Amino acid sequence: MPATHIRRWKTLALTTSAVLVGLTLPTMTATPASATTTAYDSTYYKNAVGKTGSALKSSLHTIISSQTKISYSAVWNALMVTDQDPNNSNNVILLYSGTSRAKSLNGGDVGDWNREHVWAKSHGDFGEVTGPGTDLHHLRPADVQVNSIRGNKDFDNGGSSVSGGGGSLTDSDSFEPRDADKGDVARMILYMAVRYDGGDGFADLEPNEKVSNGSNPYIGKLSVLKEWSDEDPPSAFEEKRNQVIYDTYQHNRNPFIDHPEWVDAIW
């Protein structure tokens, strides 16, 4: 049964007084998520609850590293379940564009959807190998052309409109997803950074403050990803996806969907 989430998202309050003429108002920024309670805190997350910083990251790594791995070919069918359109069981919802597209249109042609590695597989050179290359917590269906435009770019704000991208932007060295997917992207990236720390034969994946990271096992920009996670809290679609992966496929969870406040607790 899906976990019941009790969230108290902080809101921004900005007031002024008529006597404070000429006062320069502070720039409004996202406020970190408040504490969250889930049904998994006394079981799955029991060794992580109450920790912060490196201790929390280490504890979560141990917890989520216990997973069932699937093959890259099996990802096709898995995505048809994890990303099914809640309003049309014949379709999947595509990352970045938000388009609902027929499950049968999976492939590599224009008009198809394919498997997007949100943590670009060249950032750490893990390709499509079972493990980081097949981890459903960062694999999503995406339009073939939009996926190609994103390529292996880092994430940052700004750029020009992506054709068919639902409001996504891109420039020469970065990609900005549409607003409704920003938090999803951030939490997928940070999951990967906690899950893959170099101890299981794969690269130690880490977020940083750069773009153009190339084949290094880094993706930026961390400060922007943190903002996106705060601005776009987990949706019902994202929470259900996390539950399906846990129940049916990998049997591990993305902790930043269950506890968004852990993003700031670690970074």
Side-chain angles (χ1 to χ4, degrees), residues 39-134:
Y40 292 98
D41 290 356
S42 62
T43 54
Y44 189 74
Y45 292 124
K46 66 180 180 180
N47 292 328
V49 171
K51 295 179 180 178
T52 61
S54 59
L56 175 58
K57 184 180 180 184
S58 177
S59 182
L60 290 176
H61 169 74
T62 299
I63 292 168
I64 67 178
S65 293
S66 177
Q67 73 182 93
T68 299
K69 300 180 177 68
I70 67 173
S71 69
Y72 196 53
S73 61
V75 168
W76 284 119
N77 287 332
L79 293 181
M80 294 180 194
V81 178
T82 60
D83 292 76
Q84 179 174 291
D85 183 344
N87 298 314
N88 185 343
S89 61
N90 294 316
N91 288 12
V92 290
I93 299 294
L94 305 186
L95 187 68
Y96 306 139
S97 66
T99 302
S100 177
R101 186 164 297 170
K103 293 177 178 178
S104 59
L105 292 175
N106 63 308
D109 297 328
V110 174
D112 286 346
W113 62 269
N114 59 6
R115 298 159 291 186
E116 156 69 331
H117 293 76
V118 177
W119 186 293
K121 54 190 176 183
S122 63
H123 290 239
D125 195 30
F126 53 75
E128 298 165 0
V129 66
T130 299
T134 66

Side-chain angles (χ1 to χ4, degrees), residues 241-257:
R241 187 178 196 277
N242 193 29
Q243 193 68 36
V244 171
I245 293 172
Y246 177 73
D247 288 337
T248 307
Y249 296 101
Q250 296 183 181
H251 310 296
N252 71 339
R253 304 181 68 82
N254 182 333
F256 304 113
I257 296 174

Side-chain angles (χ1 to χ4, degrees), residues 3-27:
T4 299
H5 298 263
I6 305 171
R7 289 201 169 85
R8 304 185 301 278
W9 298 106
K10 294 182 180 177
T11 58
L12 292 170
L14 188 62
T15 60
T16 60
S17 172
V19 298
L20 298 178
V21 178
L23 178 65
T24 300
L25 298 179
T27 302

